[in-house]
Each structure stands twice: as C-alpha cells, then as structure tokens.
Amino acid sequence: MARDERARAIVVAIFLSLVFRNTMAAPIRAYAAPLWYVPDLFVLIGFGALTYVGARERVIPWLVFTGLFVLLIVYGVVNNPPLDVLMQGRQVAYVVLAAFAGIGVRHGNQLLARAIVVAAAVAIIGIYWDNFFKVPWSGAAFEGALRTAGVARDWSANGVRRLSGFGLASGDTSILISAGAIAMCGLTRNRLTIVSAIFAALAVHTVLLTTQKATAGWLMITLFAAFVTPLINFKREGFASAKFLRVLGMSGLIGCILVPILFSGVRFSELLSVQAPTLDQRMNDVWPVAMSYLLRFPQALLGYGLGAIGEVARVDDLVMIDNMFLFTALLVGIPLALLLFGFTLYAFWTAAIRDAVDYTALALATLLVLNGITANIIASGGVGSMFLGMSFGLLLRPTRRSAPARQRSRRSRGEASAMAEPR
C-alpha cells in the first residue's frame, strides 16, 4: 500500500512539473533552455513507477494503456522517421501520465486544483506584464526541440508575435488560464464570491489578450453554466449545473465529428456577413484537405501513425488540422477514433459528481472538447492534451475516502467493538 501511495504522489508531482514548465516556458526557453527537457526525464520516471506498480498489482487499465502505447510507437516507427515518432510519442506520454495522475487523486484532495489556480495566476500576471510593459525576452530567438522550427513557428506568425505572457504559445497560455478559472469554480463549490468573480473576469480578459477568441468564448459559456445556472435554480453554490455541463460536453464531442463534415467549404464570413478569416481558413483550406487524406486507404482504418501529422508532420498539408476528431482519426484511424470518442461520451454521461474535484474535471473536459471543434487541442503545445487526460482521469477515478475519513471509520469500529465487549 505504501508503495502505491508513493507511486501516486510521484505521478501527480510529475504532472505538476509539466504544468509549471509550460507556465514559465518563455523565460526557460530564453535563458535556461536545457531545463525545458528535465520534466521529460521525470515523465520517464513516472512511467517506470506506474509500470512497476501496474505489473505487481496487475492493474488492468495501465497494462491496456501500455500495450496500446507500444503498438502506436511500433506502427509509427514503421511508417515515419523515428525522431518524429519520439517527439509525438512524448505528447502521448503526457496524456497517459496526466490521466493516471487524475485517477490517483483521492476524494476531497484539492492540491491539484489549487496548484492549477496558482499556475493560472502566474500566467495572468505574465500576460498583463507583457501587454502593459514588455517582457525582457520579447526579442529572443527561440529554438525548437532538437533544432526544429516548431517553437519559432509558435512564437511568430507572419512577423507578428503571438506569444503573450509566460506561455510558449498563446494557445497553451489560454488553456492554462481557462483551467485555472474552472478549478477556482470547483474550489469555491461554484459559489459566486468576490474573489471567484474577479478571477473569472481576469481569466476571460487575459485569454482575449492571447488572441484566442474561440477559447475565450467557450470559457465564458462554461463559466456562465457554472456560476449562473445555480442562481437560476435558487442555489448559491453546489454542483447543480453539472447536468448542463454534461450536455455541453457531449455536444462538443459530437460537434468535433460533425462540424468539419457539415461546414467544409462554407464561406462563414459571407454567410453571416462577419469578419472571421480564421474560420474561413479552417472551412475552406484546412478541413477539406485533412479529410481528403483521412479517406485514403488503408490510413482510413489504421491512421498515419505517430510522427506523421501535426507539428512534426512529414506531409505539409497535415501540419494544421484544427479539429480534435480529425487529428485523432488521422493519427489512429477512423474506427479507433470513433471508439475513443464513444468512450468519452460514456464518461461524460456516467461520471459521478461527488466533490469539487469531480466538478472541476467535468467543467474542464467540457471546455476542452468544445474548444477542440476548431483547435488542435491534442497537437498544439501539449497543455490542452495534458489537461484533457487529467480531467478524464479524474472523472474515471474510483471512489476513495480520504485518509482522515478512513481513520475516523477505524476509530468508530474500534469504539463499537469496545462497547460490545462484556464488562
């Protein structure tokens, strides 16, 4: 039992090291680039700890995850350059580790949620610093992983710097801040206090400053469901809005599948007489091309494998995908992608909301799948995929009583036994 507790604590600590690495990504890249890869070594340690405990205790979920991960790597190496497989396999490892970090959180334990709020607060400060003053590394030249251009591509687009605050890319920073705002909802049991309202307002404002307007919009909708629906039900706090979040999350998953199919080729700006060039780009340039590759055989059944799409794409047309389902289907094939999305729908529908941690996970998963309709949540930077893995790990965790509760239970049983003894 003690070994299991140590392994659980190690995995959660490694996940938090990844979160705070991305929170401070820009200064780390600018002044201490080798430190960027230290958490990756921690990930290897975490996998070692999970493998030891999983093999010793015959933990079926971990053995299944490990087997699928090995198959993904083998299939990727057969079809793609090993270095590209390594880079994308690292992101998949983040997701798996984050999921088991979530599964390991005990009932009532708020450490993870508090740490995410702190990370988001740091990112908010960084964005205001960058916008009202100027961060000292604003003109620094960033080098991508193993001398690739991935980081530089995120840092600047057509000569315009996209980075805001401490995050490596504005998409990562926006997800990090959004996760902190949602974690604050859970910590306050959805009670609309002065502190939670101010934090939510700052989160929305700073996400808008990162130019991620879609994320800001989904964040406002999620926060509205979290804070306002309890008031409509005449409740100042609690988890009454969970049913609305379930519907939103399930709608987001279905939207990830249907939106690229239904809206491919649509001129959104002309249709609604608005200026939405990025949506037009997705609907007319990105999604039609991605779907043309998706429908090729045998890739439609097996996918293109790790190292073939996203930031490490060997096909230029598959660098940008901007949809979570298309990315997943291109990676592992349509049948497995549909199976994964079906399992996720089941998790949304059946997950029990027992405490603030469960509620935070449901709200965060809802935000991420909604954002995944028009964003590369899994591929971009890794922050979105880490939080997605963590949130579903939290939703799928078994019911565990806290240590004090167990001690009280033992004490109660002991007192009952003492009272039952003849005097």
Side-chain angles (χ1 to χ4, degrees):
M1 184 66 181
R3 289 173 181 168
D4 293 352
E5 293 296 330
R6 283 198 298 269
R8 185 178 294 116
I10 289 171
V11 171
V12 173
I14 292 170
F15 172 75
L16 291 178
S17 76
L18 292 170
V19 170
F20 281 93
R21 178 188 73 173
N22 283 83
T23 305
M24 303 294 292
I28 290 174
R29 285 289 198 182
Y31 305 122
L35 291 179
W36 179 258
Y37 300 101
V38 172
D40 292 319
L41 298 177
F42 294 161
V43 171
L44 289 177
I45 294 173
F47 263 78
L50 284 171
T51 301
Y52 174 75
V53 173
R56 183 171 63 88
E57 301 293 336
R58 294 182 178 84
V59 180
I60 301 301
W62 174 250
L63 297 177
V64 171
F65 268 112
T66 303
L68 290 174
F69 189 36
V70 170
L71 286 175
L72 276 176
I73 292 175
V74 171
Y75 181 68
V77 170
V78 170
N79 293 281
N80 305 302
L83 181 59
D84 294 342
V85 175
L86 172 66
M87 297 305 298
Q88 203 155 60
R90 182 179 67 161
Q91 288 189 334
V92 176
Y94 294 165
V95 179
V96 175
L97 189 82
F100 278 87
I103 290 173
V105 173
R106 290 193 174 277
H107 178 72
N109 190 330
Q110 297 182 342
L111 173 63
L112 196 58
R114 290 174 178 173
I116 293 171
V117 170
V118 171
V122 173
I124 288 172
I125 293 170
I127 287 178
Y128 282 130
W129 180 14
D130 191 14
N131 279 271
F132 290 113
F133 304 100
K134 191 176 182 181
V135 291
W137 54 83
S138 59
F142 287 80
E143 184 179 273
L146 300 177
R147 301 188 182 277
T148 63
V151 177
R153 185 169 61 249
D154 286 333
W155 174 262
S156 177
N158 298 324
V160 178
R161 185 163 59 88
R162 299 178 60 215
L163 176 72
S164 285
F166 291 130
L168 186 60
S170 55
D172 282 354
T173 307
S174 67
I175 293 296
L176 180 61
I177 293 172
S178 300
I182 290 172
M184 178 66 81
C185 291
L187 290 173
T188 57
R189 292 185 61 84
N190 262 15
R191 188 174 182 180
L192 189 59
T193 64
I194 294 176
V195 173
S196 62
I198 291 174
F199 196 89
L202 292 175
V204 172
H205 183 225
T206 48
V207 170
L208 285 169
L209 290 177
T210 65
T211 73
Q212 298 295 301
K213 293 181 174 56
T215 305
W218 293 124
L219 175 61
M220 286 187 279
I221 291 173
T222 306
L223 291 175
F224 179 87
F227 282 133
V228 178
T229 49
L231 298 179
I232 294 173
N233 292 326
F234 302 103
K235 294 181 179 180
R236 294 185 62 199
E237 60 183 57
F239 308 128
S241 60
K243 57 184 178 182
F244 298 99
L245 292 172
R246 287 185 199 277
V247 173
L248 275 175
M250 296 172 73
S251 300
L253 283 169
I254 296 170
C256 283
I257 299 173
L258 296 181
V259 166
I261 299 172
L262 297 178
F263 291 91
S264 181
V266 173
R267 295 285 177 182
F268 188 82
S269 296
E270 296 178 7
L271 183 66
L272 298 180
S273 299
V274 296
Q275 292 297 321
T278 55
L279 279 176
D280 285 341
Q281 182 189 31
R282 289 176 176 87
M283 294 176 184
N284 294 278
D285 300 330
V286 177
W287 291 344
V289 173
M291 283 192 290
S292 70
Y293 278 91
L294 180 62
L295 298 177
R296 298 179 182 182
F297 286 91
Q299 289 84 1
L301 299 176
L302 302 175
Y304 289 82
L306 292 173
I309 61 175
E311 292 180 348
V312 297
R314 58 180 171 82
V315 181
D316 291 339
D317 291 335
L318 298 180
V319 173
M320 278 185 64
I321 297 169
D322 286 336
N323 176 269
M324 188 166 65
F325 177 75
L326 286 181
F327 181 89
T328 307
L330 286 165
L331 189 70
V332 299
I334 296 174
L336 184 54
L338 289 173
L339 180 64
L340 290 172
F341 271 63
F343 178 74
T344 307
L345 276 170
Y346 176 79
F348 266 114
W349 182 254
T350 60
I353 307 303
R354 298 157 296 194
D355 59 8
V357 177
D358 290 327
Y359 183 85
T360 299
L362 177 63
L364 182 54
T366 297
L367 171 72
L368 291 171
V369 298
L370 288 169
N371 205 36
I373 296 174
T374 57
N376 274 350
I377 290 297
I378 297 176
S380 179
V383 172
S385 57
M386 286 192 304
F387 281 124
L388 194 64
M390 180 205 73
S391 60
F392 281 104
L394 289 169
L395 289 176
L396 296 172
R397 66 189 174 137
T399 303
R400 294 190 181 96
R401 290 177 297 174
S402 61
R406 290 199 309 273
Q407 292 170 0
R408 287 195 297 271
S409 178
R410 292 193 191 107
R411 199 160 46 241
S412 298
R413 289 197 302 268
E415 291 171 357
S417 299
M419 292 176 64
E421 291 177 359
R423 295 183 180 276

